[in-house]
Amino acid sequence: MMASFFDQFMSPTYLGIPLIALAFLLPWLLFPSPAPRWINNRFLTLQGWFINRFTSQLLSPINLGGHKWALILTSLMVFLISLNMLGLLPYTFTPTTQLSLNMGLAVPLWLATVLIGMRNQPTAALGHLLPEGTPVPLIPVLIIIETISLFIRPLALGVRLTANLTAGHLLMQLIATAAFTLLPLMPTVAILTAVVLLLLTILEIAVAMIQAYVFVLLLSLYLQENV
């Protein structure tokens, strides 16, 4: 029984072909391409408003040098939200519950921000490893601690996204199994459990959007330190 709960996190295959590539391509197919017409439909207007608001809010504390990342960060935000939301549908697979995928997104982008800081302002980038006014005996210890915390950043990005989505999916499956099991035995309790499941589903929709936003927001903060 416990093994079946984790089967939903296995990458599905069909005729030996992994279908995770299809899960990557599906979100982009759902978004309409901009039309040359002056008046767009409501979905395109809402999509453009959301992207403009998100981009302006995300890049407002970053100087002009970091605005080159606007397309990357906005595309990543839309991509993660789409994957997280589609994973809440029945009989679907959520690629962002795989730690390997999240680390594959976090490590290159984090490393790019670090390399940009080392290239543009190496003194300031290395200065983050040693706070100002540190006593001399504590300098080696603080440098080691700050270096470890620097390299833990991509791991924290990937683990945070994976853990939140995995815990939510497991909790939803446990409550749904309990409601289905209690229905012939105690219908009243089963109905209350179904109501809890509905509230949890609404919470998971919010978590899916918030975790995608937090992932991109932390990347923008790392970028802000290095530009």
Side-chain angles (χ1 to χ4, degrees):
M1 176 63 71
M2 293 305 296
S4 63
F5 286 151
F6 291 91
D7 287 345
Q8 60 176 319
F9 304 115
M10 297 175 59
S11 180
T13 58
Y14 181 73
L15 297 178
I17 302 174
L19 299 182
I20 191 171
L22 181 62
F24 287 156
L25 295 176
L26 184 59
W28 300 116
L29 299 178
L30 297 178
F31 286 96
S33 57
R37 299 188 299 269
W38 282 11
I39 301 179
N40 296 319
N41 56 33
R42 292 183 178 89
F43 189 36
L44 270 178
T45 304
L46 183 62
Q47 176 186 342
W49 176 84
F50 169 76
I51 291 177
N52 290 334
R53 290 288 298 174
F54 167 75
T55 306
S56 62
Q57 181 180 2
L58 188 68
L59 299 180
S60 57
I62 304 177
N63 57 25
L64 294 178
H67 289 187
K68 301 175 183 178
W69 284 59
L71 181 59
I72 297 177
L73 296 179
T74 304
S75 301
L76 181 63
M77 172 73 174
V78 174
F79 183 62
L80 290 177
I81 286 183
S82 303
L83 288 180
N84 295 346
M85 297 292 287
L86 290 175
L88 294 175
L89 298 176
Y91 303 104
T92 55
F93 169 68
T94 312
T96 45
T97 56
Q98 306 294 315
L99 182 60
S100 57
L101 169 66
N102 296 332
M103 292 301 295
L105 292 174
V107 172
L109 293 173
W110 163 83
L111 186 60
T113 61
V114 174
L115 293 179
I116 287 176
M118 292 295 183
R119 186 191 65 179
N120 295 339
Q121 44 184 9
T123 304
L126 294 176
H128 292 302
L129 301 179
L130 184 63
E132 186 177 356
T134 304
V136 177
L138 296 179
I139 288 179
V141 179
L142 280 180
I143 290 178
I144 295 175
I145 293 175
E146 291 296 330
T147 304
I148 294 175
S149 66
L150 177 66
F151 283 97
I152 284 179
R153 284 179 174 182
L155 181 63
L157 281 176
V159 170
R160 180 187 294 106
L161 183 59
T162 303
N164 281 281
L165 295 180
T166 302
H169 283 65
L170 280 176
L171 190 58
M172 289 175 62
Q173 186 170 1
L174 286 171
I175 295 179
T177 304
F180 182 77
T181 305
L182 292 173
L183 185 59
L185 303 176
M186 293 179 286
T188 305
V189 178
I191 293 174
L192 293 177
T193 308
V195 172
V196 174
L197 178 61
L198 177 61
L199 297 177
L200 181 62
T201 304
I202 298 174
L203 177 63
E204 282 303 310
I205 294 174
V207 169
M209 294 185 290
I210 290 173
Q211 288 304 316
Y213 176 74
V214 168
F215 190 93
V216 179
L217 179 62
L218 290 177
L219 279 176
S220 68
L221 293 179
Y222 301 157
L223 178 64
Q224 182 180 353
E225 293 181 357
N226 293 282
V227 294

